[in-house]
Amino acid sequence: MDDTTAGNAATDEGEASPQPVLWARATLADLAGVDFEDPVEKSDSADSAKLSDLFRAAVGAIGPNGELPDTPSTRLFHMLAAATGMMFRSSEPNEPFGAMMVRSDGLRTALPIDFRGPPAEVMAEMALHARHPVLRARLADIGWVIDRNAQLAAIAAEAYADIVAKVEAGELRFRGENDRGVLTFEARDLLRRALLIGRAIGADKPGPAAARDIVTRLRMKAFGQGLMVPSLWFGHLALDFGVGDAGEIGGQIEALIGRLPDGSDPHTIVNLWRMAARAYRIAKKTEDQHRSQSAAAEQLVDIAANQPMAIIASQTLTEAIAELHGVPGKKDRRKELRHRLIDVQAGIVDEMSGFTIPTDLEEIARWTEQQMQHPLLRDKLFSFAALARSPDPADLEQEAREAIREHPLSSLFGSSHHDREGKVVHRSAGAGFGDGTDASAIERQVALGENIRRHHAASGKIEVARRRIVADHYISDDMLADLLAHSPFVPRNLVMSYSRGFTRFFQGDFVSAVYVLTPLLEQSLRHVLKNSGYDVTKLNDATKTQEDRTISSLFEQMRTELVSIFGDSIVADIENVFLKKMGPNLRNRLSHGLLSDGDPYGDDAIYGCWLIFHLCMLPLFEFRSQLTLPFDRATEDQSSRLDVAAEE
C-alpha cells in the first residue's frame, strides 16, 4: 500500500487527491460483521508500527491503476494502518503523534487532525471494543487528542500501563532481534504518556495510578540490577511526575553508585550523581544536594585528567566548575580548577589548527547504504556524519574557471538574482570575452556547482541514510544528548537544544530542525573561538558596552581565526550555505522570516542541518570506539545477560 495515500487526507484543500483516501470513507456501518482486530489478534508485538504493517498487509494488493480494494474490511484495515503507523512522541503532551513521512511536495502520512469528523467516530467505537492493548491505546489516545474525550483518555492511559505490564509478564515484547525485556526506553515512553494523560484527567484514575505503580517497580528493578541507563530513564521519570519520595530516590541512587563495578562508564556515573542532586533538591535536602553536585564535579575532574585531547578535557573541567557553582565551601576548589583549566586550554590551539579524521570519508560516502546496516546506532550516526566532505575552495574556483572556459556562453553576460517576489537581491558580473578570471563570474559558477553538489548529497546520501536510521532505531532527545555532550562544538548549556533540533531532523520534521539548528550554529562558532583564546566581543564606543559578534561579523572580521580552527573547506562551506546571497543564504533568510513553508524540505536546508551535525561530530571521530549511546548500552547489556543465561 502506498503510504502517501494517507497523506492525501491532509492535502484535500489542494488538488493532490480528487477524492477522499480509502480510510476516510469508513463508516460505523462498516464495523457490522467485520472483526477489525483479526489481522493483529495473534500478534505479541508491543510496537504500534508492527501492527501497522499487519493491517497494511491485510488491505491487499494495489490495483493496476493504483487503487485499493474498496470493502468494509479494507476501509477499516486501511484506517487502522494509518492510525498505528503514526510516529509516537511521548514527550509532546499536546501533539504525541507525528507524521511518519513528510515529502517536499507537501504530501505526508496521516496525522490525528486528518481523522476529525466521521472517521473519529469510527475510531472511538473501535477503541471501546479493541482487545489488543497496543491498538486500544493508540485509538483511544488519538480520540483524546482530537476530541478531548475524557473516557477515551482514561482508556488510553489504562491501555498504556497494560502494555508495559504485559511486556513485563512476557505476554508482549518490544521490537528487536532479542527479547529486551521491560527495562527499555519504549516502556518509559509509554508510561510517560500515561502519566501525562493523568495530569489532565487525574493521577488517581486507574490508568495513571497503575502507571505510577509500574514506574516505581521498574525503577527499583533497574536500581537493584545495577543497570545504569535504565536507572536514569525510570529515575528521571519518577522525579518528573513525583512518583515516590524524592529523598529516598536520591539515597537509592547513591547506593546504586556505590555498588557499581570498576570500569563502569564514568559519564553515566556523572549523570547518576546529577540525578541524585536533582532528587535531593526536590526533597529540599540541600546538604545532600551539594554533596551530590560535588561528587559529580570530582567525577568530571577525573574524566578530564584521563582525557588526552585538550579541548575535550577543558570542556569537561568547565562542566566540573559549573557543577560546583553555588556549593558552599568550594571557592578554593573552583579557583584551583580554573587555574588547571587555563593550563589545559594552552594546548587547544595546536589541536584546533584543523579537524582531521583518520577515515576515508569518500569511501564511506560511496558505501552509505552498507554502512547503515551496522547494528549499533552509534556507528550509523558516525557514518551519517561522514557522508560528505566540504570541498576545498581552491578546487571549487579551479573547477569554476574550467567550466567558464568550456562553456563561455553560460557566463558571458551578467545576471541578476531575484527572490520570490521578483525583487533583485544580488547582481553578478559576467565573464565577458576574457579568460574567465572575473571574481564575480567565478563566484556565480561556484554557487551553481555547489547547488548541484548539495542536491546530490542531500537527495542521494543524507536522506537515504536518515530514513534507514529512523527505520532501524528510535531517536530521542536524551539519546542524542548523551552523544552531543561530548562534543567541544556544542556548548554545555545548549546540549538539549541541539538534541531537540537533531531529533526533529532525523524524524523528518525539517521545519523544526532548521529553525532550531541554524541559530545554534552562530553560538557554537563563538563558543569554539572563545575556547581557542579569541575575543568574540566588540566594544560599542557610543554606549561603552560590549556585544557578541554576529556570525556575519565573525566571517568578516575573524575569518583568519575561523580558518585556523576549522580549515578553509569547512569555513567556505558554512559561508556558502548560510551567508552568501548567491547561495541559499539560510541564516539571513531564516532570521528575517524570508523562508517559505517548503524551503526547510529542500536540499539546501537538509544539507545545512546535516553540515551542523557534521561539525558536532567531527571532533569525536577519534574517540568513537569509546562512546556508547544509551540504547546501544542497554542492548549490549541485555544481550550479554541473555548469552550468560544461555550458557548457564
Side-chain angles (χ1 to χ4, degrees):
M1 183 178 66
D2 185 356
D3 286 341
T4 59
T5 57
N8 287 341
T11 60
D12 288 342
E13 295 178 1
E15 298 180 358
S17 178
Q19 58 180 349
V21 291
L22 180 61
W23 60 257
R25 301 197 293 273
T27 65
L28 290 172
D30 289 340
L31 291 171
V34 175
D35 182 1
F36 63 87
E37 282 194 283
D38 182 62
V40 301
E41 184 177 6
K42 297 181 180 179
S43 174
D44 65 347
S45 177
D47 181 16
S48 182
K50 176 62 177 177
L51 268 59
S52 180
D53 293 339
L54 295 173
F55 281 121
R56 186 176 292 110
V59 170
I62 298 175
N65 297 320
E67 75 280 359
L68 292 167
D70 192 356
T71 66
S73 61
T74 56
R75 287 193 291 269
L76 293 173
F77 295 159
H78 194 206
M79 172 181 284
L80 294 171
T84 54
M86 286 187 280
M87 181 177 293
F88 183 48
R89 305 184 302 200
S90 66
S91 60
E92 300 285 350
N94 298 318
E95 296 182 358
F97 304 110
M100 185 61 70
M101 181 187 70
V102 180
R103 291 185 357 187
S104 59
D105 59 4
L107 289 178
R108 57 165 171 74
T109 51
L111 286 173
I113 193 173
D114 302 329
F115 293 90
R116 289 184 302 181
E121 297 176 3
V122 179
M123 291 184 61
E125 185 65 21
M126 289 190 288
L128 295 174
H129 298 92
R131 300 179 299 277
H132 199 296
V134 177
L135 180 61
R136 187 167 68 253
R138 178 58 59 93
L139 295 176
D141 203 354
I142 293 175
W144 162 241
V145 170
I146 296 173
D147 295 328
R148 311 312 284 177
N149 183 312
Q151 180 186 13
L152 293 178
I155 292 173
E158 201 165 347
Y160 283 128
D162 192 28
I163 295 170
V164 179
K166 280 182 164 52
V167 171
E168 188 177 17
E171 298 176 30
L172 296 177
R173 64 186 185 91
F174 293 117
R175 64 179 175 178
E177 295 181 1
N178 299 317
D179 185 359
R180 294 161 39 225
V182 72
L183 295 177
T184 64
F185 62 85
E186 292 102 328
R188 176 204 60 184
D189 290 347
L190 293 172
L191 292 170
R192 178 181 296 278
R193 182 59 187 162
L195 294 173
L196 281 171
I197 293 173
R199 284 180 174 175
I201 65 173
D204 58 340
K205 293 293 190 295
R212 295 173 71 88
D213 291 341
I214 296 173
V215 168
T216 299
R217 189 163 64 246
L218 296 187
R219 174 177 60 79
M220 296 301 297
K221 186 175 183 179
F223 286 178
Q225 294 182 7
L227 301 175
M228 293 192 293
V229 175
S231 294
L232 286 170
W233 288 342
F234 294 101
H236 278 300
L237 184 61
L239 295 175
D240 288 344
F241 292 90
V243 180
D245 181 86
E248 291 182 5
I249 292 175
Q252 291 164 358
I253 296 169
E254 286 201 64
L256 166 63
I257 296 172
R259 298 195 309 271
L260 292 175
D262 294 338
S264 297
D265 179 55
H267 296 283
T268 307
I269 294 175
V270 170
N271 288 331
L272 287 170
W273 278 119
R274 286 170 172 165
M275 184 167 67
R278 180 193 177 196
Y280 287 133
R281 182 174 64 254
I282 294 172
K284 301 187 184 305
K285 294 186 175 182
T286 306
E287 291 185 5
D288 292 329
Q289 174 193 338
H290 290 158
R291 179 168 46 77
S292 298
Q293 288 179 249
S294 299
E298 295 306 325
Q299 184 72 51
L300 287 167
V301 172
D302 290 343
I303 293 172
N306 294 296
Q307 173 54 250
M309 194 169 182
I311 191 167
I312 297 180
S314 65
Q315 179 173 320
T316 306
L317 283 173
T318 301
E319 291 182 31
I321 295 170
E323 287 290 342
L324 293 176
H325 180 72
V327 177
K330 295 295 181 179
K331 181 179 179 179
D332 291 339
R333 181 56 170 164
R334 290 198 302 272
K335 184 177 180 180
E336 177 189 347
L337 293 179
R338 286 195 186 98
H339 287 304
R340 187 183 303 185
L341 175 62
I342 293 172
D343 293 338
V344 172
Q345 287 176 330
I348 290 178
V349 176
D350 293 334
E351 294 180 351
M352 293 297 290
S353 60
F355 289 128
T356 59
I357 305 173
T359 308
D360 185 352
L361 299 182
E362 293 181 0
E363 180 179 354
I364 293 177
R366 288 195 300 268
W367 294 98
T368 298
E369 191 63 35
Q370 289 85 343
Q371 293 296 322
M372 291 301 115
Q373 300 301 319
H374 199 284
L376 294 183
L377 175 59
R378 175 200 64 192
D379 294 333
K380 284 189 174 73
L381 292 177
F382 275 99
S383 295
F384 183 79
L387 288 175
R389 173 179 288 176
S390 299
D392 188 332
D395 292 341
L396 292 177
E397 182 177 336
Q398 182 60 32
E399 292 170 5
R401 292 178 186 275
E402 293 175 0
I404 291 173
R405 284 195 294 266
E406 293 174 7
H407 309 283
L409 292 178
S410 64
S411 305
L412 181 62
F413 304 103
S415 62
S416 58
H417 302 259
H418 302 257
D419 64 12
R420 286 183 174 83
E421 297 178 355
K423 298 191 299 290
V424 177
V425 295
H426 185 72
R427 295 185 184 273
S428 58
F433 294 98
D435 59 357
T437 58
D438 183 272
S440 181
I442 292 173
E443 183 181 6
R444 183 179 65 174
Q445 189 62 43
V446 167
L448 291 173
E450 281 295 271
N451 184 58
I452 295 172
R453 182 186 69 85
R454 288 192 296 268
H455 169 69
H456 290 165
S459 299
K461 298 177 182 177
I462 297 170
E463 268 299 86
V464 172
R466 183 191 67 79
R467 291 178 181 177
R468 171 52 55 191
I469 289 173
V470 297
D472 293 347
H473 300 277
Y474 175 85
I475 304 295
S476 65
D477 294 355
D478 51 356
M479 281 187 180
L480 293 179
D482 194 70
L483 182 62
L484 295 173
H486 300 291
S487 175
F489 188 78
V490 180
R492 168 68 185 169
N493 64 331
L494 292 178
V495 169
M496 292 310 300
S497 297
Y498 263 105
S499 301
R500 174 60 58 88
F502 288 131
T503 298
R504 292 293 184 260
F505 176 59
F506 280 107
Q507 291 175 346
D509 183 2
F510 299 132
V511 174
S512 298
V514 74
Y515 276 89
V516 169
L517 295 173
T518 300
L520 297 181
L521 171 64
E522 186 169 336
Q523 178 58 13
S524 282
L525 294 177
R526 286 193 291 261
H527 172 71
V528 173
L529 284 167
K530 284 193 291 187
N531 282 345
S532 298
Y534 299 111
D535 182 13
V536 296
T537 63
K538 59 181 180 180
L539 180 64
N540 187 319
D541 293 331
T543 61
K544 307 300 182 183
T545 57
Q546 284 182 291
E547 303 171 354
D548 284 331
R549 292 184 182 274
T550 65
I551 189 171
S552 299
S553 176
L554 293 178
F555 274 76
E556 291 170 1
Q557 305 297 327
M558 302 186 69
R559 188 183 187 91
T560 301
E561 290 86 345
L562 287 171
V563 170
S564 70
I565 295 172
F566 296 101
D568 257 338
S569 300
I570 289 177
V571 171
D573 205 6
I574 295 172
E575 187 177 35
N576 289 337
V577 174
F578 292 96
L579 299 176
K580 283 196 172 181
K581 289 184 177 180
M582 210 176 298
N585 199 15
L586 282 179
R587 184 265 182 187
N588 295 320
R589 291 171 61 211
L590 182 147
S591 299
H592 299 292
L594 298 176
L595 291 181
S596 68
D597 289 344
D599 284 337
Y601 297 96
D603 295 327
D604 292 324
I606 292 173
Y607 180 85
C609 291
W610 171 87
L611 179 58
I612 297 173
F613 186 76
H614 177 70
L615 292 170
C616 293
M617 297 291 285
L618 271 177
L620 303 180
F621 268 84
E622 187 176 352
F623 308 96
R624 61 187 294 180
S625 62
Q626 303 173 27
L627 302 173
T628 307
L629 294 180
F631 176 79
D632 293 338
R633 284 198 293 269
T635 301
E636 291 175 346
D637 288 345
Q638 303 256 357
S639 298
S640 299
R641 294 177 187 280
L642 289 171
D643 292 340
V644 170
E647 292 174 2
E648 293 176 351

